[in-house]
Structures are given as structure tokens and as C-alpha cells.
Amino acid sequence: MNQKPVLLITRKLSRNTEARAAADYDVRLNPDDVLYSPDELLEKCQGVDAVLPCHSEHFNAELTARLPDRVKIIANHSVGVDHCDLKALKDKGVVVTNTPDVLSDATAEIAMLLLLGAARRAAEGDHMVRSGNWVHWSPSFMVGTQVSGKRIGIVGMGRVGQVMARRARGFDMEVHYYNRHRLAADKECGAIYHDTMDSLLPVSDFLSLHCPATPETTGFLNGEKIGLLPDGAVVVNTARGALIDEPALANALRSGKLAAAGLDVFASEPGGNPEFAKLTNIFMLPHIGSATFETRDAMGFRALDNLDAFFSGKEPIDRVA
Ligand code: DGY
């Protein structure tokens, strides 16, 4: 009888994912959901054919160089792969996959929640009622920014960006986008294309980020770019914290240049940015864009589909390296 491949699953995944993995692989699970240090991760990789990690495990060049040769595939449980040095892994002959498509709806839901919550001061209001400090009401109380009918600028019109555009249309928003390539008309659905960020920003009453963090996009939303947004704009980020120059964003929120921000991702995670915690006009969540029961199963299954393809000698559909 053929031996099952040995699979390291670095974090606690959905019950359905772990059950399916256990049926097809010799699995090494992490039932206590411990976040491994790089040395612990390398130790766990000993005697393993495949790893199914999350964005919380960093396969940088240094770790990749020390990865046991037996590891042949990193099947990520994430669409983002900025935690992997793709070149170093490819050079070492390690296949890398991700999980696109299956988290687009869940992530766009969180982007819309952040957009609405930031615009309508949800965090402030919730805190006030919860803490027993709601002692007053008047027409001039807790006035926020209306969403309906406004212009939204979407940076990165990939799978999540396109779902976000559909959700925004439900609020009668005028959709503008910047993408490396213009979409075909059937995918654009009337959204207005901008071939530069500098053209998109001045028409973005709401700006929602949906592009990957790469050397080109890291820190792109800096003080200069924020300055191009309309006064009182709202910034939403469900992609990666690295896209934003966080001190510049905090300054713009303090000065009133920006009305508010809604953030699910931060330059430093877990934990976020303590400076942001001092500002009442930021609505924050702890990187839960894809955290629904349905999507966790779908992400786990997609990662396993990629592993199954690899171990049956086929090309995994989501190969990125
Ligand atoms: C992703 O899939 O990249 C999400 O950020 C969760 O890891």
C-alpha cells in the first residue's frame, strides 16, 4: 500500500478541512493553534512532504534556505502570498499555491462593513451605548458621512475588488477603479477605469484597497497620495496593512483631511497600531475578512484540492510559484 504524504497543517483549520485532510494525508495538526516561531516551524517541517500554512507563517528567504529538502509544496490557506518569498521557494524547487476566488464574498462583506461603519461612526456609537455614556440626543449628534450615491475608488479590480464594486452599486455608488489592466466591458459593469492612481484618487469619496502587497504597492498610500483624495474622504483597507503609510494616515485622520478610516489589516499583526487606537474616527477589525464558517471550509478545501492535484502528478490550479 502506498504511504500517504505527510502534511503539516500549521494552524487550527475548520473541522471539515481537518477531517478531509486526515482522510487523505498523514496529517500533523496544531490543535492548540500555537503560532510557531521560525525555529519551531522548521522543526515541525522535518519529515514532512507538504505544508499547509496561513499568512501567519513567514516563508522568507532565510527560512526557505533552511527548509528540509523533503518539503515539496507550500499550499497556502490564503489568497495573499506576501508571507512567502516566491522566488526563493521556486529556486529551491518548492511549489506554492494560494486560495483565490473562495474568499471574495466574505472579504467584500467586511470591506462594506468597514466602509459603512467608518462613515457612520459605528465604533464610536457602539462604545458610547455600551459604556453607559449615551446621555444626550440632538439632530447635531453623531452626524456622519452619507454613503449612498457617493463615488467609490477601488484600487485593484481583481476578484475581491469586483465583488466590492457590485456591493457598492447596491448603495447607488458611482464606481471608479485603478487596475494594472482595464477590465473587459462585461466585467467592468459601467465602472470608470483610471489608468493612474493620481487620476483615481481625486474622485474617490471612499477609497477601498483590494490589491496585493508587493514591492511596487508597499506604502503607496502615503501623505502625498492621501493629499489627492477629496477632503473628508474615507479610506478602507481589507487587503494588507503594508499598502498604507500608517503615520501619514493617522496624521490625515487627526487633521480632518480624512473623515474616517475602516481597517481590517495593519502593518504589524496581530496587535495593530497603538496610535490608531487613540483615534475615534477609525473603525477597526482584527484581520477577519475571510473569517466565515463557509469561507473557512472553502479555503481549506481549495488548499487541499491543490495538494491533491500536486500529489496525483497534475498541475495545481492555483500555482503561484
Ligand atoms: C488572505 O487570504 O490573504 C487573507 O488575508 C487571510 O489570510
Side-chain angles (χ1 to χ4, degrees):
M1 199 176 86
N2 281 345
Q3 293 274 20
K4 289 177 180 176
V6 180
L7 170 63
L8 171 67
I9 298 184
T10 59
R11 304 303 300 268
K12 189 166 172 52
L13 301 184
S14 78
R15 198 177 339 162
N16 291 329
T17 303
E18 292 193 350
R20 179 176 148 185
D24 299 330
Y25 295 88
D26 177 358
V27 278
R28 300 192 182 165
L29 301 176
N30 180 357
D32 296 327
D33 208 15
V34 174
L35 176 64
Y36 299 138
S37 69
D39 284 341
E40 286 166 337
L41 180 58
L42 283 166
E43 195 187 309
K44 297 280 177 192
C45 286
Q46 295 295 334
V48 157
D49 300 299
V51 185
L52 198 166
C54 297
H55 75 266
S56 46
E57 283 71 55
H58 293 254
F59 289 85
N60 56 23
E62 194 195 331
L63 191 134
T64 300
R66 295 168 63 205
L67 203 59
D69 289 340
R70 182 165 166 180
V71 175
K72 294 290 178 232
I73 175 166
I74 307 283
N76 285 297
H77 184 279
S78 66
V79 65
V81 287
D82 48 306
H83 58 289
C84 291
D85 187 323
L86 296 182
K87 183 175 181 318
L89 285 160
K90 189 169 182 219
D91 289 350
K92 197 179 165 79
V94 179
V95 169
V96 182
T97 62
N98 69 344
T99 57
D101 299 318
V102 292
L103 44 63
S104 305
D105 284 341
T107 306
E109 280 178 11
I110 285 290
M112 193 44 86
L113 172 65
L114 289 169
L115 187 152
L116 291 166
R120 300 302 303 274
R121 305 172 62 173
E124 254 180 286
D126 178 82
H127 180 70
M128 186 184 295
V129 180
R130 196 179 287 278
S131 62
N133 286 324
W134 180 27
V135 292
H136 158 83
W137 187 93
S138 101
S140 56
F141 164 72
M142 288 282 299
V143 177
T145 304
Q146 184 143 324
V147 171
S148 301
K150 295 279 174 62
R151 300 167 297 179
I152 183 170
I154 294 179
V155 178
M157 197 65 143
R159 300 166 183 92
V160 184
Q162 288 175 44
V163 178
M164 185 61 178
R166 290 206 289 278
R167 303 293 175 262
R169 283 187 198 103
F171 282 84
D172 297 327
M173 299 183 90
E174 181 178 288
V175 180
H176 295 251
Y177 73 101
Y178 167 76
N179 202 44
R180 274 176 306 170
H181 309 290
R182 184 170 183 167
L183 300 187
D186 61 323
K187 293 212 162 140
E188 227 174 30
C189 298
I192 299 156
Y193 178 61
H194 295 258
D195 59 2
T196 65
M197 198 76 78
D198 287 7
S199 152
L200 177 78
L201 295 173
V203 297
S204 301
D205 302 315
F206 291 83
L207 185 76
S208 193
L209 309 186
H210 298 285
C211 60
T214 63
E216 293 74 42
T217 60
T218 294
F220 87 87
L221 194 63
N222 56 19
E224 184 205 326
K225 298 289 182 215
I226 291 171
L228 296 178
L229 288 164
D231 289 348
V234 173
V235 169
V236 172
N237 190 9
T238 51
R240 283 292 183 266
L243 300 174
I244 294 182
D245 174 346
E246 291 190 340
L249 180 68
N251 282 341
L253 288 162
R254 267 189 225 105
S255 72
K257 166 66 190 171
L258 295 178
L263 306 175
D264 184 47
V265 288
F266 302 87
S268 172
E269 296 185 10
N273 185 329
E275 283 306 305
F276 287 165
K278 298 177 188 162
L279 299 172
T280 53
N281 52 350
I282 313 191
F283 182 30
M284 295 186 280
L285 294 172
H287 201 147
I288 55 167
S290 54
T292 67
F293 296 112
E294 295 83 350
T295 296
R296 288 293 181 242
D297 277 351
M299 291 171 76
F301 284 8
R302 187 85 173 220
L304 290 172
D305 289 346
N306 284 314
L307 284 169
D308 293 352
F310 178 81
F311 284 109
S312 58
K314 298 185 197 126
E315 181 73 359
I317 55 165
D318 304 313
R319 184 169 180 174
V320 292

